[in-house]
Amino acid sequence: MNVTIIDVAKKAGVSPSTVSRVISGHPRISPATVRKVKDIMEELGYHPNMMAKSLVSKTTQTIGLLLPRSAEELFLNQFFSEVIRGVVSQAARSEYDLMMTTGITEREEVEAVTRLVRGRRVDGVILLYSRNSDPVISFLKEERFPFVLIGRSEEHPDVLSVDNDNVQAAYDVTKHLLAQGHRRIGFVSGPPNLIVSRDRLEGYKQALADAEVEFHSEWIVEGEFLQESGYRAMSFFMTLPERPTALVVMDDLVAFGVLRGLTELGYKVPQDLSLIGFNNIPMSELASPPISSVDIGIYQLGYTASQTLIRAVKGEAIHHTRMIIPHRLIARESSLHHIQP
Amino acid sequence: MNVTIIDVAKKAGVSPSTVSRVISGHPRISPATVRKVKDIMEELGYHPNMMAKSLVSKTTQTIGLLLPRSAEELFLNQFFSEVIRGVVSQAARSEYDLMMTTGITEREEVEAVTRLVRGRRVDGVILLYSRNSDPVISFLKEERFPFVLIGRSEEHPDVLSVDNDNVQAAYDVTKHLLAQGHRRIGFVSGPPNLIVSRDRLEGYKQALADAEVEFHSEWIVEGEFLQESGYRAMSFFMTLPERPTALVVMDDLVAFGVLRGLTELGYKVPQDLSLIGFNNIPMSELASPPISSVDIGIYQLGYTASQTLIRAVKGEAIHHTRMIIPHRLIARESSLHHIQP
DNA sequence: GTGAAAGCGCTAACAA
DNA sequence: TTGTTAGCGCTTTCAC
C-alpha cells in the first residue's frame, strides 16, 4: 500500500487536515508544523494521490488535447508535432499534464471528448483545427466547459481561439507575387471545409482585387494537405492553354509536390512558374530551389493555446477571445523572379 | 451539479451498487434491471466520474508517455510524431487515454514520472528512447510499475522493450554498400550516449569485419540528429586525404545535411560519395537524388509498445520481454552506384 | 493554529 | 439477484 496523508499525520503527530494544509500552502499554519510535516513527507516518500485530490477538489491539473479525426494523415504534416510541442512545453511549465485523445469517426470524436469532460478527467480542452460545423464545439459550449480552439469557428465567433490572420497572410503572399510582376496567379487550396482554406482564398482574392487583377475561378484547385495534391494541381495547371505564372499554395508539402512535378517535366522554378507556400516546414528551405513560405508560428499557436486555456481554467481574466499569432513571409528562390507583365 | 450514480439509483428505484453492476457489466443481474437502469442513465445523461472510479478501483484507463528531455529538438525529427501516432491509435482502440509528460532537466523528468506514477494518474508508462544510464527506469523498476521501453536498456536487459534490431539493420546497410564495391565506408553516428548509436556502430563494424575490410576509427563521426551535423560531417570527410567513397548515416535528416553540403560544393551523389540513412522520413524520397534509407517501422514501434503495455497492465501474459520490429532497407539512387574497389 | 467530521462518487465485500 | 455498508485518500467547513 502507498503512504497516505494519514500515515504522515500520525507520524507527525498532527491531524490529516493539518497535513493537507501544509501541502496546499495554507497561510495560517505555524512554520514549525510546516517544517515537521514536510520532513516527514520527505522521509516517508509521500506523494498525494491525484485521484482523491481531484475527486474532492474537482480539478485535475490536466488539459485535454483533441486531435483531429484523421490524425493518421494529419500527423504526416509537421504542423501537428509542432503544435503539440508548443502545448506540452507550456503545460509542463504551468505544472499541468496533457491528455491526448482522438477518434476515428465524428461520433467517436464526440465520445472521446465526452469521456474527458463528463468523466472529469480534464479541466479544459484544446481543439486542433476547426471544421465548418463541429458538434464538439457545440457540446463544450453547452457544458460550459473551458476550451480553446486552434483556428477559428464561423458559427461560434465568441469562443476562445488562437489563430493566424490567414486572410492577411494570403493577402501578403499574393501581393508579394504581384510585386514580382505576376498577373496570372493560381491558388492551390486545401480541403474546402476547413476555415483556413477559405480565409486564405479570401486574402488571395482581396489582393487581386486591390491590384485590379482579374480573378479566374478556374485557377483555384482544391486538394488535401498532401504532396500528391500538389502533383495533381501541377498537372492541371500545366496543361491549361493560358496558365498562371505563379502559384499560391496552401501548404509547403503540397508546394513540394508541385515543385517535384515541375522538375520531372523539365520546367524551371521560379522561371517557368513561381511558387510560394505556407507553414515553412524545414523541408522548404532544403528544396532546390528553396521554397518561399509563410512562417505562421506553429509552436506559438500551441503555446498560446495552452497558456490561454490554463488561464481560463483558473478563472483568470482573458482580454481577447481571439488571439492572433503573427505570420512572417519568407521569400526564397522559388518566388524571386521578376517577370514582365 | 453533475448527475451521479445515486441519482440514477433513486430514479430507477434500485441501489447504487446495482447501478454500478450494470455499468461494469456484472453477469448476475436481471435483464429487466439492466434495461431500466440503462434507460435512466440515458435519460439523465449520466456519465461515470472517472476520478471516483479510479480512486476505488486503483486503475485509470490511462497510459503515460514520457517524452525525452529535449523534446524541443527531438520533435523536429519525424520520429516522435510517428511514434506518438502509433501509441495514440492503439491506445484509443483499447479505450485507453494517453497522458504525455516531459521535463527539461533529468530531475524534472524523474519528477514528472513520479507525479504520474505515485500520483496514480496512469496505469503504465511508455519510455521513449533509452539513454545509457536512466534513473527513470530504476525508479519504475523499484516501484514495480508497469512500463515498456521503446529502445532498449543495457543495464536492465530484463525490462519490457520494443525495439529494432539495430545491429542487424546497420549490418545490412553496410553490406549493401560493400556489395556496390565500396571498401572505404564512413559512419556518421548520433549522440554516443544513445544505445541506438552504439548498436548501429556495432553492426557497421561487424559487416566490415565479415567482409575483411579494415576499420578506420577516424571515419567515425558523432553528431546530433540534426541537419547541421550532417553538414559538418561532410566537411570533415571531404577534406580528408584518403576519404570514404560511401557513408552510413544514423538519420535521414543528417544524411540530408550531407547531401546538401555535397551539392553546394559541386560533388555528385552517389558518384563522388554514396549515402544511406535510417528512418526513411518522407523527405528522403523527395531529395535529389532520393536518399536510400532503412524503414524501421516507427509507427509499429509505438503501436506495439502501447499494445504490450496495456497487456502488461491488464496482467495478461507476455511471452517475450524484447519485441523486435522488422526493418526494411530501401535502396534509392543515393546508394546505387557500383565502383571498382 | 489545529482537529473532528462529513462527504466527493464510486466499488466491493458481505448479507439477505 | 439485489441492498447495505464500509471505505478509497483527500479537502473543507465548523468548532475550539
Side-chain angles (χ1 to χ4, degrees):
Chain A
M1 204 50 260
N2 234 295
V3 27
T4 77
I5 211 170
I6 299 195
D7 302 327
V8 177
K10 272 188 186 145
K11 182 131 188 177
V14 297
S15 76
S17 29
T18 300
V19 178
S20 172
R21 286 185 184 109
V22 170
I23 293 166
S24 56
H26 192 102
R28 271 199 291 285
I29 193 125
S30 84
T33 314
V34 172
R35 266 260 56 73
K36 187 171 53 183
V37 171
K38 283 202 168 158
D39 285 351
I40 305 274
M41 292 198 324
E42 181 74 27
E43 185 189 332
L44 262 42
Y46 168 78
H47 256 261
N49 180 318
M50 298 313 282
M51 296 302 152
K53 187 187 169 100
S54 292
L55 181 56
V56 39
S57 71
K58 294 182 179 341
T59 79
T60 59
Q61 293 270 98
T62 303
I63 61 179
L65 179 65
L66 177 67
L67 297 177
R69 220 168 308 153
S70 51
E72 309 275 323
E73 112 190 6
L74 287 162
F75 256 117
L76 293 176
N77 199 309
Q78 216 90 32
F79 188 90
F80 288 88
S81 52
E82 262 306 276
V83 169
I84 292 173
R85 191 164 75 80
V87 173
V88 171
S89 302
Q90 205 290 319
R93 208 150 301 176
S94 306
E95 304 205 273
Y96 270 70
D97 283 308
L98 179 67
M99 193 115 174
M100 284 182 32
T101 193
T102 186
I104 316 289
T105 64
E106 182 170 275
R107 211 178 49 75
E108 277 186 26
E109 208 173 47
V110 175
E111 257 171 27
V113 38
T114 306
R115 270 219 319 273
L116 291 190
V117 171
R118 306 287 301 273
R120 303 265 163 248
R121 298 195 79 145
V122 296
D123 296 344
V125 174
I126 294 177
L127 263 33
L128 267 190
Y129 253 121
S130 41
R131 306 193 172 256
N132 208 0
S133 130
D134 197 329
V136 175
I137 297 184
S138 310
F139 168 75
L140 290 169
K141 276 185 85 173
E142 251 171 55
E143 292 279 320
R144 315 186 115 274
F145 200 81
F147 71 101
V148 355
L149 204 64
I150 296 184
R152 71 186 188 86
S153 168
E154 288 184 325
E155 293 166 59
H156 309 280
D158 53 325
V159 305
L160 279 183
S161 58
V162 179
D163 198 5
N164 300 107
D165 186 342
N166 280 308
V167 177
Q168 184 66 46
Y171 186 95
D172 293 349
V173 155
T174 311
K175 208 170 148 197
H176 164 74
L177 292 174
L178 288 163
Q180 312 282 316
H182 294 281
R183 288 299 172 268
R184 302 210 305 272
I185 303 176
F187 187 87
V188 182
S189 181
N193 60 331
L194 292 187
I195 289 168
V196 59
S197 301
R198 304 224 298 283
D199 281 351
R200 292 195 183 150
L201 182 57
E202 178 60 25
Y204 158 82
K205 282 184 183 168
Q206 275 183 21
L208 292 186
D210 286 0
E212 294 181 348
V213 169
E214 202 188 340
F215 167 74
H216 291 248
S217 65
E218 67 273 23
W219 287 349
I220 311 297
V221 175
E222 284 163 1
E224 301 288 307
F225 287 144
L226 298 172
Q227 220 206 115
E228 290 84 61
S229 301
Y231 195 98
R232 239 176 289 124
M234 186 279 309
S235 311
F236 167 78
F237 280 122
M238 299 318 274
T239 54
L240 247 38
E242 206 201 18
R243 57 182 168 81
T245 58
L247 250 40
V248 174
V249 187
M250 272 292 288
D251 183 89
D252 285 357
L253 197 63
V254 181
F256 210 94
V258 174
L259 173 59
R260 194 186 180 193
L262 289 172
T263 308
E264 276 177 17
L265 298 185
Y267 290 106
K268 286 260 171 285
V269 174
Q271 294 81 356
D272 296 320
L273 189 67
S274 289
L275 281 180
I276 181 160
F278 282 87
N279 297 358
N280 192 35
I281 64 179
M283 200 161 73
S284 306
E285 191 186 357
L286 308 176
S288 43
I291 301 178
S292 301
S293 189
V294 179
D295 181 343
I296 59 169
I298 305 180
Y299 178 91
Q300 271 300 319
L301 283 168
Y303 194 94
T304 307
S306 167
Q307 195 169 49
T308 307
L309 179 60
I310 290 176
R311 282 206 187 121
V313 161
K314 288 184 175 168
E316 292 174 19
I318 292 168
H319 304 292
H320 306 282
T321 15
R322 186 165 150 73
M323 266 140 293
I324 298 298
I325 304 298
H327 60 267
R328 195 164 53 90
L329 192 154
I330 299 171
R332 301 200 181 95
E333 206 182 319
S334 78
S335 72
L336 291 177
H337 175 67
H338 278 270
I339 68 162
Q340 313 307 327
Chain B
M1 206 49 257
N2 235 295
V3 26
T4 77
I5 212 171
I6 299 195
D7 302 328
V8 176
K10 273 187 186 148
K11 182 133 191 175
V14 297
S15 77
S17 35
T18 301
V19 178
S20 173
R21 286 186 186 108
V22 170
I23 293 166
S24 56
H26 192 103
R28 272 198 291 285
I29 193 126
S30 84
T33 314
V34 172
R35 266 261 53 76
K36 188 171 55 184
V37 170
K38 283 202 168 158
D39 284 352
I40 305 274
M41 292 198 323
E42 180 75 27
E43 185 188 333
L44 263 41
Y46 169 77
H47 256 261
N49 180 319
M50 298 313 282
M51 295 303 152
K53 187 187 169 97
S54 292
L55 181 57
V56 39
S57 70
K58 292 177 180 344
T59 77
T60 59
Q61 293 270 97
T62 304
I63 61 179
L65 179 65
L66 177 67
L67 297 178
R69 220 168 309 155
S70 51
E72 310 273 323
E73 112 191 7
L74 287 162
F75 256 117
L76 293 175
N77 198 310
Q78 215 91 30
F79 188 89
F80 288 88
S81 52
E82 258 312 270
V83 168
I84 292 172
R85 190 165 78 81
V87 173
V88 171
S89 303
Q90 206 289 321
R93 209 151 297 176
S94 306
E95 303 204 274
Y96 270 70
D97 283 308
L98 179 67
M99 192 114 173
M100 283 180 33
T101 193
T102 186
I104 315 289
T105 63
E106 182 171 275
R107 211 178 49 76
E108 276 185 27
E109 208 173 45
V110 175
E111 256 170 27
V113 140
T114 306
R115 270 219 320 274
L116 291 190
V117 171
R118 307 286 299 275
R120 303 265 161 248
R121 299 195 77 145
V122 297
D123 296 343
V125 174
I126 294 177
L127 263 33
L128 267 190
Y129 253 121
S130 41
R131 305 190 174 255
N132 208 1
S133 130
D134 197 329
V136 175
I137 297 184
S138 311
F139 168 74
L140 290 169
K141 277 185 85 171
E142 251 171 55
E143 292 278 319
R144 316 186 114 274
F145 200 81
F147 72 100
V148 355
L149 206 64
I150 296 184
R152 72 186 188 86
S153 167
E154 288 184 326
E155 292 166 58
H156 310 279
D158 53 324
V159 305
L160 279 182
S161 58
V162 180
D163 198 5
N164 299 108
D165 186 342
N166 280 307
V167 177
Q168 184 66 48
Y171 187 96
D172 293 350
V173 154
T174 311
K175 208 170 148 197
H176 164 74
L177 292 174
L178 288 163
Q180 310 285 316
H182 294 281
R183 288 298 172 269
R184 300 210 304 272
I185 303 176
F187 186 86
V188 182
S189 179
N193 59 331
L194 291 188
I195 289 167
V196 60
S197 300
R198 304 224 298 281
D199 280 352
R200 293 195 183 150
L201 182 57
E202 178 59 27
Y204 157 83
K205 282 182 182 170
Q206 276 183 21
L208 292 186
D210 286 1
E212 295 180 347
V213 168
E214 201 188 340
F215 167 75
H216 291 248
S217 65
E218 67 274 24
W219 287 350
I220 311 297
V221 176
E222 285 162 1
E224 300 289 307
F225 287 145
L226 297 172
Q227 221 206 114
E228 291 83 61
S229 301
Y231 195 98
R232 237 175 291 123
M234 185 282 307
S235 311
F236 167 77
F237 279 122
M238 299 317 274
T239 54
L240 246 39
E242 205 200 20
R243 56 183 169 82
T245 58
L247 250 38
V248 174
V249 187
M250 273 292 288
D251 183 89
D252 285 358
L253 197 63
V254 181
F256 210 93
V258 174
L259 174 59
R260 195 187 179 194
L262 289 171
T263 308
E264 276 177 17
L265 298 184
Y267 290 106
K268 287 258 170 286
V269 173
Q271 295 81 354
D272 296 322
L273 190 65
S274 290
L275 281 182
I276 182 160
F278 283 86
N279 298 359
N280 192 33
I281 63 179
M283 200 162 73
S284 306
E285 190 186 357
L286 307 177
S288 46
I291 301 177
S292 301
S293 189
V294 178
D295 181 344
I296 59 168
I298 305 180
Y299 178 91
Q300 270 301 319
L301 283 168
Y303 194 95
T304 308
S306 167
Q307 195 169 48
T308 307
L309 179 60
I310 290 174
R311 280 203 189 125
V313 161
K314 288 182 175 167
E316 291 174 20
I318 292 167
H319 303 293
H320 306 281
T321 19
R322 186 163 150 75
M323 267 141 290
I324 298 298
I325 304 298
H327 60 266
R328 194 164 53 91
L329 192 154
I330 299 170
R332 300 201 181 96
E333 206 182 319
S334 78
S335 71
L336 292 178
H337 175 68
H338 278 271
I339 68 163
Q340 313 307 327

